[in-house]
Amino acid sequence: MDNTLTAANLCLQRGQRWVIDDVSLTLNGGELVALIGPNGAGKSTLLRLLSGYLSADAGACQLEGRALGQWPAETLSRRRAVMLQQTQLRFDWSVVAIVAMGRAPWGSQRETGIVRDVLALTGCDELAQRRYATLSGGEQQRVQLARCLAQLWRDSAPEGWLFLDEPTSALDLYHQQQLLRLLKKLTVSGKLHVCVVLHDLNLAALWADRILLLHEGRLVAQGLPQQVIKTPVIAQWYGAEVQVSTHPGSGAPHVFLCA
């Protein structure tokens, strides 16, 4: 199987503005890739284009050697899952029911056991019987991650492409750490491939295999964390005064704001 997702010359226009401007990239299987960039850079829009939620005005995306538009909807839903920034639900279901929604593309194949396994894997088992609407923002993010993993679950583990838009934005430090540790662990198997939008540069540097930096809709830097998270790069594209040092435990780049 061709475990790559390629984008060639993607463009998307809104009004007079190019929200995505001639972006080409390749995502490889078994990677955790972080999309970073200042506000309005086009990160969320690019994520939607790569996952097939939006269609480009120009350019093309291919998933595993096949154009995104050529995938039947149900088949694509079994190969990729998307967690958006906000998921509004108009019904007050339990957490178990929300996670079970992820199995919709599969019918009822071993739904109960899979949901139980995913709840345990994500630490959401303690929330299982609560109503989704009563959860905090961070708890809802964790449940939405569980739903996405259930959607991709195949033969005792998630398999396919997982796209996440700021999944740590409402999480406390412990749950940020646990979520990214879990994603990293799952990608090491080579069966799960993750593309995640992150605002926290230090989280991206610590956990991502590769980083893609967007600015005003263009891909302006990409590579290993050590190649992208550098003082001149961050200062140029974020316009902030920063100093980049080294994480004392991992050796990853670590960004400090100048006072």
Side-chain angles (χ1 to χ4, degrees), residues 226-237:
Q226 293 85 353
Q227 296 172 312
V228 178
I229 307 297
K230 300 192 295 187
T231 298
V233 175
I234 301 305
Q236 177 181 2
W237 299 113

Side-chain angles (χ1 to χ4, degrees), residues 124-145:
C124 291
D125 39 1
E126 61 187 21
L127 306 173
Q129 300 309 316
R130 291 181 58 184
R131 313 306 294 181
Y132 183 81
T134 69
L135 302 180
S136 69
E139 289 170 333
Q140 289 184 356
Q141 282 188 316
R142 291 162 54 199
V143 171
Q144 289 300 329
L145 173 65

Side-chain angles (χ1 to χ4, degrees), residues 167-179:
T168 61
S169 60
L171 299 184
D172 57 34
L173 288 176
Y174 172 80
H175 287 104
Q176 288 180 14
Q177 184 182 58
Q178 294 305 304
L179 182 144

Side-chain angles (χ1 to χ4, degrees), residues 66-225:
R66 187 179 186 182
L68 272 180
Q70 294 179 356
W71 284 76
E74 185 176 88
T75 305
L76 182 60
S77 293
R78 293 184 179 191
R79 288 300 296 159
R80 72 94 177 90
V82 184
M83 177 180 164
L84 301 176
Q85 283 188 42
Q86 295 181 335
T87 304
Q88 301 294 333
L89 299 180
R90 298 182 180 180
F91 36 82
D92 185 21
W93 286 4
S94 68
V95 166
V96 167
I98 297 298
V99 175
M101 287 173 58
R103 297 303 296 167
W106 300 86
S108 59
Q109 296 181 26
R110 295 174 293 166
E111 180 179 289
T112 302
I114 290 172
V115 170
R116 182 179 60 247
D117 291 345
V118 172
L119 287 169
L121 181 68
T122 56
C124 291
D125 39 1
E126 61 187 21
L127 306 173
Q129 300 309 316
R130 291 181 58 184
R131 313 306 294 181
Y132 183 81
T134 69
L135 302 180
S136 69
E139 289 170 333
Q140 289 184 356
Q141 282 188 316
R142 291 162 54 199
V143 171
Q144 289 300 329
L145 173 65
R147 176 188 59 79
C148 288
L149 293 178
Q151 182 178 333
L152 297 176
W153 203 267
R154 184 197 300 257
D155 298 329
S156 75
E159 180 177 334
W161 298 84
L162 178 59
F163 295 88
L164 307 166
D165 195 352
E166 296 187 45
T168 61
S169 60
L171 299 184
D172 57 34
L173 288 176
Y174 172 80
H175 287 104
Q176 288 180 14
Q177 184 182 58
Q178 294 305 304
L179 182 144
L180 288 165
R181 276 181 175 172
L182 174 60
L183 293 178
K184 187 72 170 182
K185 177 182 177 181
L186 292 173
T187 58
V188 167
S189 71
K191 293 184 177 181
L192 186 70
H193 330 303
V194 176
C195 181
V196 55
V197 172
L198 290 173
H199 262 302
D200 190 320
L201 301 184
N202 291 325
L203 291 180
L206 191 59
W207 298 105
D209 297 304
R210 281 195 303 133
I211 293 177
L212 308 178
L213 171 56
L214 292 177
H215 183 269
E216 295 184 352
R218 297 187 66 87
L219 183 59
V220 295
Q222 62 178 309
L224 301 174

